[in-house]
Amino acid sequence: MSHDFIDTIENRTFDEIQVGDSASLTRTLRPEDIQMFAIISGDMNPTHVDPEYARSSQFREVVGHGMWGAMLFSNILGTQFPGPGTIYVDQNLHFDRVVRIGDTLTATVTCKRKFDHNDHILFDCRCTNQDGELVISGTAEVIAPIEKIKRMKVALPEIKLSATKTARYEHLLEITAGLAPIPMAVVHPCDAESLKGALLARDRGLIDPTLVGPEKRIRALAEELGLSLYGCQFLDVPHSHAAAESGVALAREGLVEALMKGSLHTDELMSEVVDKATGLRTDRRISHVFMMDVPTYPRPLLITDAAVNVAPDLPTKVDIVQNAIDLAHMLKIPEPKVALLAAVETVNAKMPATLDAAALCKMADRGQIQGGILDGPLAFDNAISVVAARTKGIKSAVAGQADILLVPDIESGNMLAKQLEYLADALAAGIVLGARVPIVLTSRADSAQTRTASTAIAVVMAHCKRGTCK
């Protein structure tokens, strides 16, 4: 009998237990059980947590910690038989065979002997797998409770495992596997993180960097930080404005295939990018996308536009959406689902975002926006939660499973992206779309890793433009 769904916890006293009485518990070993046990115990034996190592071990695969199975005996003794009030005195165990992921163990403790003079009980302990094979055997001695105890179960915190930010960062970089480095101009990398970001991208084989800025200042910074500048070309200019102008010129002349913003202000770079005479404009409106890896969401989330277009009108939103859809295709999302965000999920004449959302959906129906599935207006909860959408009776191919979130304006988008990054531990990468070349546009507060993650997207875009995408 499973005790998982019983709200109370109740013991059996020394006098209530008879020799031969028993209790059992069944559990199936999951990968997350191994990970949680390793975290709690600190036992990081690669036999249990390193699949590559485990393949060369005698078991040829990851196996569970022996004490994970032994914990089932403790569970039974402490929670049901005898239960609350039990004090462990002694335990001896023999481990007969390993437990593999997917094995279902049944642990049974049976009263073997009672000692009336001190309320001790000796239990026989046996644990078998789904094939009836003995896995663990032994005995346990406890002091059994003499008073009846029945209490409500204490509600414990919920534990959710998620990949570390470093692991998610490495996973994101996998999109560039097999792609050659691209020439990139790094504009005014004159602080620690912007220079480290460029050099980290170089070291990961993503770019061949041209550092555009005051060369002496950049070299002095590299020396101060102990960074090597091997493989870097320089375009020596005196200040940030000249760096922005020169970096854009390199891209316009086809000498580099992407730009990365360094320690200058966004407006300083983007004013050169959008210059009608000397910039990098195309027929498409320039826009920005944050690609977010959110631990609590099952797929990458593209948020647009949270950095370039302040209060986009309907025609601008058309380009913003199309830019994001095109990027999704390059990232191998064949038919991205686009949620058009507003405060509510119904059209309201007093709320312009809902009117734009409705118009964009109809434009997609008429082929004016192509390559994705659009729905809106959708409130944020309905866009990312199937449960919320069902509760509100929303039937949609997009609701609860959006790949792209179109925000109403830069304020809402910027707040959403930063909330996910700082409150939900999201990994963020930012890229400017709609220009002649991709532009890595990050905050000056962003780390070198964030800049490198953004560069990975630029590399994919550059190769797609070449026709060399994998």
Side-chain angles (χ1 to χ4, degrees):
M1 176 180 175
S2 172
H3 288 249
D4 289 348
F5 302 106
I6 300 175
D7 292 332
T8 58
I9 183 169
E10 182 177 358
N11 68 2
R12 292 175 65 181
T13 65
F14 179 86
D15 292 337
E16 291 175 328
I17 296 173
Q18 304 300 317
V19 173
D21 288 353
S22 66
S24 297
L25 180 69
T26 298
R27 288 286 187 273
T28 299
L29 181 66
R30 307 167 301 166
E32 52 265 42
D33 293 323
I34 295 176
Q35 293 167 350
M36 283 192 287
F37 189 93
I39 292 168
I40 293 168
S41 68
D43 183 352
M44 308 300 286
N45 185 333
T47 300
H48 309 304
V49 298
D50 186 341
E52 183 178 353
Y53 172 87
R55 281 193 292 271
S56 63
S57 71
Q58 68 182 98
F59 305 118
R60 297 292 184 267
E61 61 182 322
V62 163
V63 298
H65 299 78
M67 292 306 293
W68 179 83
M71 285 197 310
L72 302 182
F73 298 132
S74 177
N75 183 329
I76 296 170
L77 295 169
T79 63
Q80 53 171 305
F81 185 62
T86 299
I87 300 173
Y88 246 117
V89 174
D90 185 55
Q91 176 87 68
N92 70 79
L93 297 170
H94 179 75
F95 297 89
D96 294 272
R97 52 179 36 85
V98 299
V99 183
R100 304 177 190 274
I101 292 172
D103 280 356
T104 298
L105 301 189
T106 298
T108 302
V109 298
T110 303
C111 177
K112 186 177 181 179
R113 187 176 176 186
K114 297 177 67 178
F115 302 90
D116 293 329
H117 69 284
N118 58 5
D119 302 320
H120 283 215
I121 299 179
L122 182 67
F123 290 95
D124 181 59
C125 300
R126 292 176 60 84
C127 184
T128 58
N129 62 21
Q130 66 278 0
D131 298 319
E133 299 170 323
L134 185 64
V135 176
I136 308 171
S137 59
T139 60
E141 185 176 346
V142 305
I143 301 174
I146 58 175
E147 295 182 356
K148 195 69 175 173
I149 299 173
K150 182 175 182 180
R151 299 181 61 84
M152 296 294 295
K153 281 186 176 179
V154 175
L156 296 176
E158 187 174 316
I159 298 176
K160 291 184 178 180
L161 294 178
S162 63
T164 65
K165 214 163 190 175
T166 298
R168 288 182 281 128
Y169 164 76
E170 293 295 335
H171 179 70
L172 189 153
L173 293 190
E174 289 175 6
I175 64 176
T176 64
L179 300 179
I182 63 169
M184 172 180 274
V186 185
V187 181
H188 201 68
C190 293
D191 69 0
E193 292 304 318
S194 62
L195 182 58
K196 286 193 290 186
L199 299 181
L200 181 58
R202 174 206 61 189
D203 294 342
R204 298 305 296 257
L206 302 179
I207 64 170
D208 294 321
T210 296
L211 307 182
V212 185
E215 183 174 353
K216 288 184 179 179
R217 181 177 172 188
I218 295 170
R219 287 190 180 278
L221 177 62
E223 184 175 354
E224 178 187 340
L225 298 172
L227 302 174
S228 170
L229 295 174
Y230 79 89
C232 295
Q233 298 185 55
F234 279 88
L235 180 55
D236 186 20
V237 296
H239 46 68
S240 59
H241 181 74
E245 183 179 353
S246 299
V248 168
L250 289 175
R252 191 174 61 251
E253 294 164 10
L255 299 176
V256 297
E257 294 182 64
L259 297 177
M260 178 191 289
K261 171 181 169 284
S263 57
L264 73 172
H265 196 276
T266 296
D267 290 346
E268 199 168 6
L269 176 61
M270 292 309 297
S271 63
E272 294 295 331
V273 170
V274 301
D275 187 279
K276 292 183 179 180
T278 60
L280 301 173
R281 300 181 78 149
T282 65
D283 292 339
R284 193 77 66 77
R285 180 78 179 218
I286 288 175
S287 63
H288 181 274
V289 166
F290 274 117
M291 188 173 89
M292 315 289 290
D293 182 328
V294 186
T296 53
Y297 197 65
R299 58 182 62 83
L301 196 57
L302 306 183
I303 299 174
T304 190
D305 180 345
V308 172
N309 292 284
V310 176
D313 56 15
L314 181 61
T316 301
K317 288 181 179 179
V318 172
D319 280 350
I320 292 173
V321 170
Q322 192 65 66
N323 285 343
I325 290 173
D326 292 347
L327 174 61
H329 292 166
M330 297 179 205
L331 297 174
K332 296 183 172 57
I333 305 172
E335 194 174 41
K337 298 176 175 66
V338 184
L340 311 171
L341 294 187
V344 295
E345 58 277 351
T346 54
V347 177
N348 186 324
K350 296 181 179 180
M351 303 177 74
T354 68
L355 299 176
D356 286 350
L360 290 167
C361 289
K362 184 52 66 178
M363 293 174 81
D365 291 342
R366 297 289 187 264
Q368 293 170 271
I369 300 173
Q370 298 182 342
I373 304 172
L374 276 65
D375 195 13
L378 287 172
F380 178 76
D381 56 345
N382 305 320
I384 55 92
S385 168
V386 172
V387 174
R390 286 176 180 168
T391 299
K392 293 186 178 181
I394 299 171
K395 296 179 180 179
S396 164
V398 175
Q401 47 190 339
D403 301 299
I404 299 171
L405 301 179
L406 174 74
V407 296
D409 54 40
I410 195 171
E411 291 175 317
S412 57
N414 193 271
M415 285 187 281
L416 173 58
K418 288 183 178 178
Q419 285 165 356
L420 290 175
E421 181 177 6
Y422 287 96
L423 295 180
D425 197 33
L427 175 68
I431 198 81
V432 170
L433 313 173
R436 293 189 192 183
V437 300
I439 303 168
V440 173
L441 191 70
T442 54
S443 167
R444 284 172 288 175
D446 284 336
S447 68
Q449 278 196 343
T450 297
R451 295 165 194 268
T452 306
S454 303
T455 303
I457 301 174
V459 171
V460 171
M461 292 178 64
H463 277 276
C464 286
K465 185 178 179 180
R466 289 184 192 176
T468 55
C469 282
K470 296 292 183 179

